[in-house]
Amino acid sequence: MVNEMMRDVDKYTALNSYIHRFDPRAKIISFISLIFSVVFLSDIRTTALCLAVSLVLLIISKIPLRFTLRKLMFPSVFIIFIFIALSLTVPGEALFRFYIITVTYEGLYEGVLIVLRAFSALILAFLLVSTTRFDDIIKALNSLRFPKPLTQILMLSYRYAFVFSDEIERMLTAMQARGFRMEAKMHSLKAIGKALGMLFVRCSERSERVYEAMLSRGYSSEIKTLSNFNMRAVDYVLCMLFLLFAVFLHW
Amino acid sequence: MSHKGDKKEYAVVVRNLSFRYSNQDANVLESVNLDIKRGEKVAIVGPNGAGKTTLLLNINGILRGYEGYIEIFGRRIDGRRSRKEIVRDVGMVFQDPDDQLFMPTVFDDVAFGPLNLGLSEDEVRTRVKEALRMLHIEDYEDKNPHRLSFGERKKIALATVLAMKPRILLLDEPTANLDPRSRSELISILKWLNESNDFTMIIATHDVNAIPDIADRVFVLNRRIIAEGTPREIFSDAELMEKTNLEVPDVMKLFELLRCFGFNCDELPLSIDDAVEALTKIIETSDGRHIHLHIHEHTHHGVERLRERWKYEHHL
Ligand SMILES: Nc1ncnc2c1ncn2[C@@H]1O[C@H](COP(=O)(O)OP(=O)(O)OP(=O)(O)O)[C@@H](O)[C@H]1O
Ligand SMILES: [Mg+2]
């Protein structure tokens, strides 16, 4: 599953668009501040404006629409679920009734607001990770003085999420090859429990060996990287514009 | 224990090394002694669980709490103080490349070691280029290790270590799990490294066929060092082979079989290169410039005996 969602988020990082060429550091600052700005908005129209801007950015980025839809499907379902829940549960002036279900004006307003906010933030975050190579994100975070332990964790998780999900897959295949079926039976559950335990042991042994391998290449509490970032005038200008826009939304 | 002469001559000296993992009761290594000269290429063989990996990790100064004495280029390794020196002098390629490659791109992974050595940015970049070029994998710089094949990852793991230019190279089963073509390629890389560099190599391996090509000396390990000698000495010792469950190289087996068919050579070739040399020599010195094979009564008997010795027959 992790594999499915993560395997190709960076499939289109090699495209060439204004968003792709945007310096990773400036891009991170711009997008993150915009995301922060939008999640605190409480006016529907400004939020809609922000969503429109995100969509325009998405078009500029040249990321294929189908790819975007596929990647955003899972979180979208989640957002829509929240929308339904909100519009049905927030008390207030009833808009219409349907047996025991009451849709209120306040509920609908809250719901729409949440949907707009969530989609804007989601699209912006998606744009950030799908137009920037993962190693550039890490290096940018490093050069922005992001806390080192956090960037290290991100870096290692990125690599080993793949390794571990492969390991899980292999284990499941091996179990199925010997007639295991996923069923709600005591026998099945026990097998899964044991497999999970085994997986935990394997992971912790692996982490020990990874650490040893890092030590043997001179690791001491810091992962050093080289980057060739190069802020151009246009990056500064773009970044300023993003920041101004983020503040302007709250005016 | 270290005389002045030793300092120049020996790359690795191990004396009475014993080691036990904290969660186990018995020693994994028991009074191990090794003397490895500068520039020497040695192989360490032994069954699964013999302690080969553990020994390499000890020489690399990674495991704490060993008993005994380990010396790298005449300097004893103990605790934190010499960690930096060990990292500079000794490089280790791990058994599983997934343990070694942890960065998002190949470039970052290969650059990781040199950066830790405190080299300048330019120097790091040239070292990465050089290491990747040596192994013919220049195009992989921006790739994510996850999308590469096992053989490719193995080569990159080797590159990450070569980029640090160690004087001693420890290799843990470099040819294991490779397809035949990748295996041959890796062996030729190791042979090439052997010839073109003056570093010392210690290779833990099960691949007896590769040993004559890549090592001058063999240590047989099973918790302790059981035997030591040139590949020829080790593989010619039938009793040792039997006792330690080791096998001799296929080429050697083949020529031993040929002996039963009347082929006459005093020294059994160990590798393909050896075989070419031996055949050439024998044919050139024989009368009719050809070799002569035959079947006598003793041939079947001899073949049977060999098949039994090599466990090609299974008896209930
Ligand atoms: N991290 C560890 N913790 C506890 N015991 C270990 C650890 N690593 C290895 N061992 C044990 O130490 C013994 C020697 O292991 P080691 O990995 O050194 O053998 P090896 O010769 O490399 O084997 P192989 O040929 O399978 O790679 C084994 O019995 C193993 O179970
Ligand atoms: Mg091992």
Side-chain angles (χ1 to χ4, degrees):
Chain A
M1 245 241 323
V2 189
N3 243 339
E4 266 325 294
M5 276 177 62
M6 280 181 49
R7 180 157 273 162
D8 57 351
V9 245
D10 54 355
K11 191 170 173 187
Y12 292 106
T13 49
L15 292 182
N16 194 358
S17 76
Y18 286 108
I19 315 281
H20 286 81
R21 283 197 300 270
F22 201 3
D23 180 274
R25 291 167 295 180
K27 201 191 307 188
I28 287 178
I29 295 182
S30 304
F31 279 57
I32 301 268
S33 44
L34 200 50
I35 288 173
F36 264 100
S37 169
V38 72
V39 295
F40 289 117
L41 285 179
S42 49
D43 178 48
I44 284 204
R45 271 173 312 171
T46 40
T47 321
L49 173 67
C50 192
L51 180 62
V53 169
S54 326
L55 288 171
V56 170
L57 289 173
L58 190 62
I59 293 167
I60 295 176
S61 77
K62 298 188 197 161
I63 303 269
L65 188 63
R66 274 190 50 188
F67 178 75
T68 312
L69 291 179
R70 210 178 68 228
K71 288 288 147 193
L72 297 189
M73 189 147 71
F74 180 65
S76 300
V77 171
F78 188 66
I79 293 174
I80 288 169
F81 184 74
I82 290 185
F83 168 71
I84 295 173
L86 269 180
S87 45
L88 294 184
T89 53
V90 174
E93 187 185 334
L95 221 49
F96 57 83
R97 271 173 216 281
F98 191 74
Y99 296 104
I100 51 160
I101 300 168
T102 316
V103 176
T104 63
Y105 175 79
E106 283 81 1
L108 208 58
Y109 187 92
E110 279 296 306
V112 170
L113 189 62
I114 285 277
V115 166
L116 291 175
R117 274 191 209 153
F119 272 113
S120 310
L122 186 63
I123 289 173
L124 288 170
F126 168 74
L127 263 179
L128 181 60
V129 296
S130 63
T131 62
T132 323
R133 275 175 27 185
F134 184 80
D135 55 309
D136 282 339
I137 294 184
I138 293 291
K139 288 170 190 172
L141 289 176
N142 263 340
S143 70
L144 290 173
R145 305 283 138 82
F146 208 69
K148 289 257 156 60
L150 285 177
T151 52
Q152 285 192 22
I153 290 173
L154 268 179
M155 188 141 50
L156 291 167
S157 330
Y158 177 71
R159 170 89 177 91
Y160 287 102
F162 291 120
V163 174
F164 287 151
S165 82
D166 278 357
E167 213 141 313
I168 295 173
E169 233 158 75
R170 269 202 305 273
M171 208 161 198
L172 271 177
T173 320
M175 285 165 75
Q176 276 157 0
R178 283 182 289 161
F180 171 80
R181 264 175 305 149
M182 201 77 93
E183 287 167 337
K185 282 190 187 148
M186 205 53 200
H187 166 73
S188 275
L189 293 177
K190 263 188 189 160
I192 290 181
K194 279 184 189 150
L196 280 179
M198 194 61 215
L199 190 73
F200 182 78
V201 172
R202 279 198 207 172
C203 287
S204 86
E205 280 177 356
R206 157 100 56 196
S207 65
E208 218 161 90
R209 292 195 305 269
V210 171
Y211 178 62
E212 283 169 357
M214 289 169 74
L215 279 184
S216 111
R217 286 197 282 153
Y219 171 77
S220 54
S221 80
E222 192 186 347
I223 297 180
K224 298 190 185 111
T225 50
L226 283 185
S227 53
N228 24 17
F229 296 147
N230 180 16
M231 284 281 276
R232 296 154 305 160
V234 58
D235 291 317
Y236 284 107
V237 173
L238 222 49
C239 190
M240 276 319 282
L241 285 178
F242 265 95
L243 289 177
L244 282 177
F245 182 65
V247 175
F248 160 79
L249 287 174
H250 286 272
W251 215 264
Chain B
M1 196 161 290
S2 78
H3 313 294
K4 275 220 164 118
D6 287 351
K7 275 193 182 167
K8 276 227 180 78
E9 228 183 315
Y10 285 101
V12 179
V13 173
V14 175
R15 287 271 171 275
N16 294 322
L17 171 68
S18 296
F19 183 83
R20 185 172 64 87
Y21 284 102
S22 53
N23 54 0
Q24 296 210 334
D25 320 322
N27 277 356
V28 172
L29 297 172
E30 190 78 60
S31 334
V32 169
N33 288 296
L34 293 177
D35 296 271
I36 295 166
K37 293 207 183 71
R38 176 175 292 199
E40 219 180 355
K41 329 287 172 187
V42 309
I44 296 176
V45 295
N48 290 126
K52 301 181 292 297
T53 302
T54 310
L55 177 59
L56 293 187
L57 289 173
N58 268 304
I59 295 174
N60 203 5
I62 283 178
L63 296 176
R64 301 250 162 272
Y66 63 83
E67 273 171 48
Y69 176 88
I70 304 176
E71 193 184 272
I72 306 284
F73 291 117
R75 296 182 63 111
R76 180 170 188 175
I77 62 173
D78 47 0
R80 222 151 262 129
R81 212 160 49 91
S82 50
R83 184 79 229 130
K84 262 200 157 134
E85 280 173 41
I86 301 175
V87 168
R88 191 151 29 75
D89 286 339
V90 186
M92 173 155 172
V93 182
F94 285 67
Q95 200 161 341
D96 182 351
D98 283 338
D99 293 341
Q100 193 148 14
L101 305 177
F102 65 95
M103 290 283 219
T105 70
V106 170
F107 175 89
D108 292 319
D109 232 316
V110 181
F112 174 73
L115 280 171
N116 286 333
L117 293 180
L119 301 172
S120 75
E121 200 175 313
D122 287 340
E123 175 70 14
V124 172
R125 285 183 197 280
T126 36
R127 287 227 184 162
V128 174
K129 284 249 147 52
E130 256 176 41
L132 294 178
R133 208 183 50 231
M134 255 194 248
L135 306 179
H136 302 302
I137 43 174
E138 299 98 319
D139 315 336
Y140 289 49
E141 261 190 27
D142 287 335
K143 295 219 164 106
N144 173 343
H146 184 68
R147 298 195 180 125
L148 302 175
S149 77
F150 187 84
E152 290 167 326
R153 272 179 283 161
K154 203 102 183 181
K155 275 201 242 171
I156 290 159
L158 179 57
T160 63
V161 174
L162 289 181
M164 300 177 75
K165 299 203 171 156
R167 296 203 282 165
I168 300 174
L169 189 58
L170 311 177
L171 297 152
D172 198 357
E173 307 199 6
T175 58
N177 291 324
L178 293 176
D179 66 47
R181 172 53 69 77
S182 314
R183 174 182 166 275
S184 312
E185 206 183 346
L186 205 95
I187 292 175
S188 70
I189 289 173
L190 294 183
K191 271 165 84 172
W192 177 81
L193 286 175
N194 268 347
E195 283 156 19
S196 51
N197 293 277
D198 75 326
F199 51 50
T200 313
M201 266 203 223
I202 307 179
I203 308 164
T205 185
H206 293 291
D207 190 349
V208 288
N209 287 308
I211 287 177
D213 280 328
I214 54 179
D216 322 318
R217 205 145 61 99
V218 180
F219 289 92
V220 182
L221 178 77
N222 197 358
R223 274 187 56 223
R224 42 181 93 234
I225 298 286
I226 294 178
E228 182 228 311
T230 63
R232 177 168 304 286
E233 285 163 3
I234 295 291
F235 291 130
S236 308
D237 188 340
E239 200 182 316
L240 175 72
M241 294 289 107
E242 178 65 40
K243 193 173 71 183
T244 52
N245 285 330
L246 273 171
E247 292 226 337
V248 302
D250 289 337
V251 173
M252 199 173 165
K253 284 185 182 171
L254 177 63
F255 275 82
E256 205 161 1
L257 265 181
L258 286 175
R259 258 185 185 167
C260 301
F261 289 90
F263 178 75
N264 206 347
C265 62
D266 13 304
E267 268 199 340
L268 290 172
L270 300 179
S271 64
I272 300 281
D273 291 348
D274 275 4
V276 172
E277 203 176 302
L279 282 172
T280 315
K281 207 176 98 196
I282 287 176
I283 295 177
E284 274 180 350
T285 53
S286 74
D287 305 332
R289 297 210 148 231
H290 64 269
I291 52 172
H292 168 80
L293 300 179
H294 58 233
I295 295 185
H296 281 309
E297 310 85 71
H298 62 79
T299 307
H300 289 298
H301 186 61
V303 171
E304 263 331 290
R305 251 198 11 247
L306 287 179
R307 288 175 64 91
E308 201 143 301
R309 161 136 62 92
W310 299 330
K311 310 272 184 298
Y312 283 134
E313 309 286 357
H314 182 70
H315 302 287
L316 266 186

